[in-house]
Amino acid sequence: MRHAPLILVVMLVAACDAPQVMAVDSNVRNPGEPSTTYRQLSPDEQREVVKAIADSEPAGQDRKPLAPAAESGRWREVGVVAREAAKSCEMAVVSEQKTADGKVFTVRSIKDERGTLVVTGDEAHGVTDVQAQIGNFNENRSAATALQDAFWRTLREYGRVPRAQ
């Protein structure tokens, strides 16, 4: 009877033991195995995939040509671009607000500094201006400039991807 608690504890510890994880011995792909989904497509393969996607649209629908964006980017991607730019500067977008001229994003840095990213523009013209302020009195100009630069860089990256216009 005295050993019953000890046996219960040993059984509990044995039951909670983590399962063994299978180790990978090699990254070599054998003939006949499917290739990884994460490999980069060549330009020829990209054209083939885009053509297959374009040809798979239902009949009777207007097909818009796939094309990269202008230098001012696509207005519909501004929210995604702002979040990616903030992430690359160790910040996060806390809120997004629509204004008459564009959008205002409230950001917070990893150092708990608050700020704003004001993006002006519209659907017809794309992004026309970007202004960032970091800190209560806009004292962290280097972080604000880095956020603005990251926004423009990310907007251009997204703009290079061909999408329906």
Side-chain angles (χ1 to χ4, degrees):
M1 198 65 166
R2 292 183 182 173
H3 295 358
L6 179 63
I7 292 172
L8 287 174
V9 169
V10 169
M11 287 176 55
L12 180 64
V13 170
C16 293
D17 189 29
Q20 294 294 324
V21 178
M22 187 170 31
V24 176
D25 296 330
S26 172
N27 65 350
V28 175
R29 186 172 63 90
N30 294 323
E33 289 182 341
S35 63
T36 176
T37 59
Y38 297 111
R39 74 176 179 86
Q40 189 73 23
L41 296 177
S42 70
D44 290 335
E45 290 171 325
Q46 280 182 330
R47 279 191 291 278
E48 198 174 309
V49 168
V50 169
K51 185 178 180 318
I53 291 170
D55 290 343
S56 68
E57 291 183 16
Q61 285 193 340
D62 292 337
R63 285 187 12 193
K64 297 179 180 177
L66 298 178
E71 187 68 23
S72 60
R74 296 180 191 92
W75 183 253
R76 64 181 179 263
E77 295 177 341
V78 166
V80 175
V81 169
R83 285 172 179 73
E84 285 296 317
K87 192 186 321 180
S88 71
C89 294
E90 296 184 331
M91 297 180 192
V93 172
V94 179
S95 68
E96 176 181 337
Q97 199 173 359
K98 209 177 222 184
T99 64
D101 296 335
K103 293 186 178 185
V104 177
F105 299 93
T106 305
V107 296
R108 185 175 251 172
S109 75
I110 198 167
K111 296 177 183 175
D112 202 28
E113 293 176 304
R114 297 170 190 238
T116 58
L117 178 68
V118 180
V119 182
T120 56
D122 57 23
E123 190 69 42
H125 301 101
V127 177
T128 55
D129 190 36
V130 176
Q131 295 294 321
Q133 295 181 352
I134 305 296
N136 291 333
F137 302 102
N138 196 21
E139 65 269 11
N140 196 345
R141 285 304 311 150
S142 62
T145 303
L147 181 58
Q148 286 174 206
D149 293 343
F151 181 89
W152 283 114
R153 186 174 48 253
T154 308
L155 185 71
R156 286 187 200 101
E157 287 173 12
Y158 272 74
R160 280 196 292 264
V161 177
R163 289 187 173 56
Q165 299 301 313

